[in-house]
Amino acid sequence: GSGGLPLAAGLAELAGDGAAMLAASGGEDYELVACIGAEQVGRARAAVERTGCALTEIGETAAGEET
């Protein structure tokens, strides 16, 4: 492959030129989770919004005691 989106064996045979689009947009919905430094959130949000998607902040990490 080209190092892009991994495709299941046989998908190109079934979907032809639309294999990558089907792999990226077909099937179940999901969200990605990332840990981004506070100083980079604005830049990350802008990059994600350029793709037509949204970045949602759900919390923050903080130093604490090891358990």
Side-chain angles (χ1 to χ4, degrees):
S2 64
L5 183 66
L7 302 177
L11 182 60
E13 183 179 328
L14 294 172
D17 291 340
M21 181 59 77
L22 180 60
S25 63
E28 298 184 29
D29 290 337
Y30 62 92
E31 292 193 27
L32 300 176
V33 176
C35 188
I36 301 169
E39 68 283 354
Q40 296 296 321
V41 170
R43 187 170 167 206
R45 182 181 313 284
V48 170
E49 288 175 353
R50 283 193 299 273
T51 71
C53 295
L55 180 68
T56 303
E57 294 179 60
I58 60 170
E60 62 183 59
T61 59
E65 292 184 26
E66 200 172 308
T67 59

XYZ file of all heavy atoms in Angstrom:
443
model
N 0.820 -1.192 0.000
C 0.000 0.000 0.000
C 0.862 1.253 0.000
O 2.077 1.218 0.018
N 0.188 2.363 -0.005
C 0.865 3.652 -0.070
C 1.129 4.231 1.311
O 1.567 5.356 1.434
C 0.008 4.629 -0.881
O -1.219 4.863 -0.203
N 0.828 3.467 2.367
C 1.020 3.986 3.713
C -0.180 4.777 4.185
O -0.141 5.388 5.231
N -1.255 4.762 3.419
C -2.466 5.486 3.786
C -3.377 4.624 4.641
O -2.928 3.794 5.427
N -4.653 4.796 4.461
C -5.669 4.062 5.207
C -5.552 2.567 4.935
O -5.557 2.148 3.777
C -7.054 4.571 4.783
C -8.262 3.993 5.484
C -8.255 4.417 6.955
C -9.530 4.489 4.820
N -5.425 1.752 5.979
C -5.340 0.306 5.746
C -6.684 -0.229 5.259
O -7.735 0.159 5.766
C -4.978 -0.263 7.124
C -5.398 0.769 8.102
C -5.329 2.098 7.383
N -6.665 -1.069 4.240
C -7.886 -1.629 3.672
C -7.912 -3.134 3.881
O -6.894 -3.805 3.764
C -7.965 -1.317 2.170
C -7.921 0.155 1.781
C -7.927 0.298 0.268
C -9.074 0.923 2.401
N -9.082 -3.648 4.170
C -9.249 -5.079 4.355
C -8.961 -5.802 3.047
O -9.243 -5.289 1.957
C -10.672 -5.389 4.824
N -8.397 -6.991 3.146
C -8.121 -7.788 1.959
C -9.421 -7.998 1.183
O -10.457 -8.306 1.751
C -7.523 -9.131 2.376
N -9.381 -7.799 -0.118
C -10.556 -8.007 -0.959
C -11.447 -6.798 -1.123
O -12.335 -6.794 -1.973
N -11.254 -5.741 -0.321
C -12.126 -4.573 -0.423
C -11.998 -3.900 -1.780
O -12.998 -3.537 -2.394
C -11.849 -3.568 0.695
C -12.740 -2.332 0.705
C -14.213 -2.713 0.864
C -12.340 -1.371 1.802
N -10.786 -3.754 -2.287
C -10.592 -3.126 -3.600
C -11.284 -3.934 -4.690
O -11.862 -3.366 -5.616
C -9.111 -2.971 -3.906
N -11.258 -5.246 -4.555
C -11.926 -6.103 -5.537
C -13.438 -5.889 -5.518
O -14.088 -5.844 -6.557
C -11.605 -7.569 -5.239
C -12.191 -8.542 -6.245
C -11.822 -9.976 -5.926
O -10.722 -10.211 -5.394
O -12.648 -10.853 -6.206
N -13.989 -5.706 -4.338
C -15.430 -5.510 -4.208
C -15.874 -4.088 -4.525
O -16.909 -3.881 -5.143
C -15.892 -5.867 -2.789
C -15.756 -7.323 -2.397
C -16.058 -7.502 -0.921
C -16.684 -8.190 -3.236
N -15.098 -3.094 -4.073
C -15.521 -1.693 -4.183
C -14.796 -0.918 -5.273
O -15.136 0.231 -5.522
C -15.335 -1.001 -2.833
N -13.780 -1.510 -5.892
C -13.061 -0.832 -6.976
C -12.436 0.468 -6.515
O -11.841 0.547 -5.439
N -12.592 1.525 -7.337
C -11.983 2.821 -7.031
C -12.572 3.482 -5.785
O -11.984 4.404 -5.241
C -12.140 3.779 -8.220
C -11.296 3.353 -9.409
O -10.336 2.575 -9.213
O -11.603 3.795 -10.530
N -13.726 3.023 -5.322
C -14.359 3.606 -4.145
C -13.961 2.935 -2.840
O -14.533 3.220 -1.789
N -12.964 2.051 -2.882
C -12.573 1.292 -1.689
C -12.142 2.185 -0.537
O -12.572 1.996 0.601
C -11.470 0.292 -2.026
N -11.302 3.173 -0.798
C -10.818 4.043 0.280
C -11.961 4.858 0.871
O -12.053 5.007 2.093
C -9.707 4.961 -0.221
N -12.838 5.382 0.036
C -13.980 6.158 0.542
C -14.900 5.266 1.369
O -15.375 5.663 2.426
C -14.749 6.797 -0.610
C -15.926 7.636 -0.136
S -15.485 8.995 0.986
C -14.834 10.154 -0.172
N -15.145 4.060 0.912
C -15.994 3.131 1.658
C -15.360 2.799 3.008
O -16.038 2.801 4.039
C -16.220 1.857 0.855
C -17.084 0.792 1.504
C -18.490 1.335 1.782
C -17.163 -0.439 0.628
N -14.054 2.568 3.019
C -13.367 2.241 4.272
C -13.400 3.407 5.243
O -13.510 3.226 6.454
C -11.922 1.836 3.986
N -13.309 4.635 4.720
C -13.259 5.821 5.578
C -14.635 6.263 6.044
O -14.767 6.876 7.104
C -12.580 6.972 4.836
N -15.679 5.956 5.292
C -16.985 6.513 5.636
C -18.093 5.483 5.809
O -19.167 5.816 6.290
C -17.413 7.527 4.563
O -17.569 6.870 3.318
N -17.864 4.264 5.425
C -18.898 3.248 5.551
C -18.843 2.568 6.905
O -17.883 2.687 7.647
N -19.891 1.885 7.252
C -19.899 1.130 8.500
C -20.346 1.955 9.689
O -21.076 2.920 9.558
N -19.878 1.548 10.841
C -20.307 2.173 12.085
C -19.661 3.534 12.302
O -18.567 3.792 11.826
C -19.958 1.261 13.260
C -20.678 -0.075 13.178
C -20.400 -0.940 14.379
O -20.154 -0.396 15.471
O -20.424 -2.159 14.211
N -20.362 4.393 13.040
C -19.812 5.690 13.416
C -18.906 5.510 14.631
O -19.139 4.646 15.468
C -20.925 6.665 13.795
C -21.743 7.090 12.597
O -21.231 6.999 11.472
O -22.890 7.513 12.786
N -17.890 6.316 14.725
C -16.987 6.281 15.867
C -16.315 7.635 16.003
O -16.390 8.471 15.110
C -15.927 5.184 15.718
C -15.026 5.369 14.528
C -13.826 6.046 14.636
C -15.398 4.879 13.281
C -13.013 6.239 13.547
C -14.578 5.062 12.172
C -13.397 5.739 12.312
O -12.594 5.917 11.230
N -15.694 7.863 17.122
C -14.927 9.081 17.347
C -13.538 8.697 17.791
O -13.344 7.685 18.459
C -15.602 9.959 18.412
C -16.915 10.525 17.932
C -17.451 11.622 18.831
O -16.635 12.297 19.501
O -18.660 11.796 18.852
N -12.575 9.507 17.427
C -11.194 9.303 17.853
C -10.938 10.100 19.122
O -11.506 11.168 19.306
C -10.227 9.761 16.759
C -10.360 9.057 15.418
C -9.403 9.682 14.405
C -10.084 7.570 15.555
N -10.092 9.591 19.973
C -9.724 10.274 21.206
C -8.241 10.609 21.119
O -7.431 9.792 20.686
C -9.985 9.374 22.433
C -9.513 10.050 23.704
C -11.461 9.022 22.526
N -7.896 11.825 21.522
C -6.498 12.254 21.500
C -6.211 13.084 22.732
O -7.095 13.725 23.283
C -6.218 13.080 20.248
N -4.982 13.049 23.159
C -4.530 13.891 24.256
C -3.640 14.968 23.641
O -2.590 14.665 23.088
C -3.762 13.051 25.270
S -3.361 13.960 26.769
N -4.106 16.218 23.701
C -3.417 17.338 23.047
C -3.036 18.363 24.111
O -3.871 18.735 24.939
C -4.348 17.986 21.997
C -4.763 16.951 20.953
C -3.677 19.186 21.346
C -5.866 17.412 20.039
N -1.805 18.823 24.063
C -1.365 19.845 25.006
C -2.214 21.100 24.896
O -2.631 21.491 23.796
N -2.495 21.742 26.023
C -3.362 22.925 26.055
C -2.912 23.998 25.076
O -3.740 24.664 24.453
C -3.429 23.481 27.475
N -1.604 24.137 24.908
C -1.094 25.173 24.002
C -1.329 24.841 22.532
O -1.176 25.704 21.669
C 0.400 25.416 24.256
C 1.311 24.263 23.885
C 1.337 23.103 24.878
O 0.719 23.198 25.960
O 1.980 22.089 24.554
N -1.710 23.611 22.216
C -1.932 23.187 20.833
C -3.404 23.002 20.461
O -3.715 22.700 19.313
C -1.190 21.868 20.576
C 0.306 21.978 20.696
C 0.891 22.902 19.642
O 0.459 22.910 18.501
N 1.864 23.707 20.036
N -4.321 23.174 21.420
C -5.739 22.912 21.154
C -6.286 23.801 20.040
O -6.982 23.320 19.145
C -6.589 23.051 22.441
C -8.075 23.010 22.126
C -6.223 21.949 23.423
N -5.978 25.080 20.050
C -6.474 25.982 19.009
C -6.014 25.570 17.627
O -6.798 25.547 16.674
N -4.759 25.221 17.511
C -4.196 24.783 16.235
C -4.830 23.466 15.782
O -5.161 23.289 14.610
C -2.694 24.636 16.395
C -1.964 24.362 15.146
C -0.466 24.491 15.400
N 0.241 23.917 14.277
C 1.445 23.426 14.337
N 2.109 23.453 15.469
N 2.025 22.928 13.280
N -5.010 22.539 16.716
C -5.634 21.256 16.396
C -7.084 21.450 15.975
O -7.545 20.837 15.006
C -5.551 20.306 17.594
N -7.813 22.311 16.678
C -9.208 22.576 16.343
C -9.320 23.136 14.922
O -10.156 22.705 14.130
C -9.841 23.551 17.336
C -11.310 23.816 17.058
C -11.926 24.806 18.029
N -11.624 24.553 19.420
C -12.189 23.603 20.167
N -13.082 22.812 19.653
N -11.835 23.464 21.433
N -8.454 24.069 14.573
C -8.476 24.661 13.229
C -8.199 23.599 12.167
O -8.860 23.571 11.125
C -7.469 25.798 13.143
N -7.240 22.729 12.415
C -6.909 21.677 11.450
C -8.073 20.720 11.263
O -8.411 20.345 10.140
C -5.664 20.923 11.916
N -8.706 20.336 12.357
C -9.846 19.419 12.272
C -11.018 20.085 11.561
O -11.672 19.475 10.714
C -10.253 18.924 13.684
C -11.567 18.181 13.652
C -9.156 18.047 14.266
N -11.285 21.344 11.865
C -12.400 22.051 11.234
C -12.198 22.212 9.736
O -13.167 22.226 8.984
C -12.628 23.396 11.915
C -13.245 23.226 13.292
C -13.390 24.510 14.083
O -12.884 25.572 13.634
O -14.002 24.455 15.164
N -10.949 22.282 9.282
C -10.691 22.358 7.833
C -11.140 21.096 7.117
O -11.357 21.096 5.914
C -9.214 22.630 7.552
C -8.816 24.067 7.786
C -7.445 24.399 7.204
N -6.358 23.627 7.763
C -5.675 23.950 8.855
N -5.989 25.036 9.545
N -4.682 23.194 9.285
N -11.295 19.999 7.836
C -11.754 18.745 7.231
C -13.268 18.632 7.262
O -13.826 17.660 6.767
C -11.168 17.517 7.958
O -11.769 17.391 9.248
C -9.660 17.593 8.059
N -13.944 19.612 7.866
C -15.395 19.558 7.980
C -15.872 18.848 9.226
O -17.060 18.591 9.387
N -14.958 18.534 10.119
C -15.306 17.846 11.369
C -15.126 18.807 12.536
O -14.756 19.951 12.353
C -14.419 16.615 11.545
S -14.690 15.363 10.280
N -15.386 18.319 13.730
C -15.267 19.151 14.924
C -14.381 18.455 15.952
O -14.310 17.237 16.001
C -16.637 19.418 15.528
N -13.731 19.255 16.766
C -12.916 18.762 17.874
C -13.650 19.116 19.159
O -14.010 20.266 19.370
C -11.538 19.430 17.848
C -10.553 19.037 18.940
C -10.123 17.591 18.754
C -9.349 19.944 18.918
N -13.903 18.135 19.997
C -14.631 18.345 21.244
C -13.710 18.084 22.420
O -13.154 16.995 22.545
C -15.841 17.383 21.329
O -16.666 17.578 20.187
C -16.644 17.622 22.591
N -13.557 19.068 23.279
C -12.762 18.885 24.490
C -13.631 18.166 25.522
O -14.773 18.557 25.759
C -12.311 20.228 25.046
C -11.337 20.947 24.138
C -10.925 22.286 24.697
O -10.357 22.326 25.822
O -11.192 23.291 24.026
N -13.079 17.114 26.145
C -13.855 16.360 27.123
C -13.231 16.361 28.509
O -13.800 15.816 29.438
C -14.098 14.903 26.665
C -12.774 14.169 26.471
C -14.935 14.883 25.403
C -12.939 12.682 26.251
N -12.087 16.957 28.664
C -11.451 16.966 29.977
C -10.012 17.392 29.885
O -9.576 17.924 28.877
N -9.298 17.180 30.942
C -7.878 17.522 30.969
C -7.136 16.518 31.823
O -7.725 15.829 32.653
C -7.660 18.940 31.472
C -8.132 19.167 32.897
C -7.968 20.609 33.318
O -8.543 21.472 32.665
O -7.269 20.831 34.323
N -5.843 16.434 31.597
C -5.004 15.565 32.411
C -4.279 16.435 33.440
O -4.048 17.613 33.211
C -3.975 14.812 31.552
O -3.164 15.759 30.867
C -4.657 13.902 30.562
N -3.944 15.838 34.546
C -3.244 16.565 35.600
C -2.323 15.594 36.331
O -2.604 14.404 36.410
C -4.242 17.183 36.585
N -1.257 16.129 36.849
C -0.340 15.302 37.646
C -1.062 14.851 38.912
O -1.892 15.563 39.455
C 0.905 16.114 38.001
N -0.750 13.676 39.340
C -1.387 13.154 40.544
C -0.558 12.043 41.139
O 0.546 11.755 40.670
N -1.104 11.425 42.128
C -0.402 10.322 42.770
C -0.601 9.052 41.965
O -1.658 8.805 41.422
C -0.935 10.118 44.192
C -0.606 11.243 45.109
C -1.065 10.982 46.538
O -1.181 9.799 46.911
O -1.299 11.963 47.244
N 0.459 8.254 41.910
C 0.379 6.981 41.236
C -0.386 6.007 42.115
O -0.172 5.951 43.327
C 1.798 6.468 40.982
C 1.866 5.425 39.898
C 3.295 5.101 39.543
O 4.063 6.041 39.266
O 3.631 3.919 39.549
N -1.302 5.248 41.529
C -2.078 4.281 42.315
C -1.712 2.861 41.991
O -1.160 2.557 41.013
C -3.595 4.452 42.073
O -3.858 4.281 40.690
C -4.066 5.801 42.548
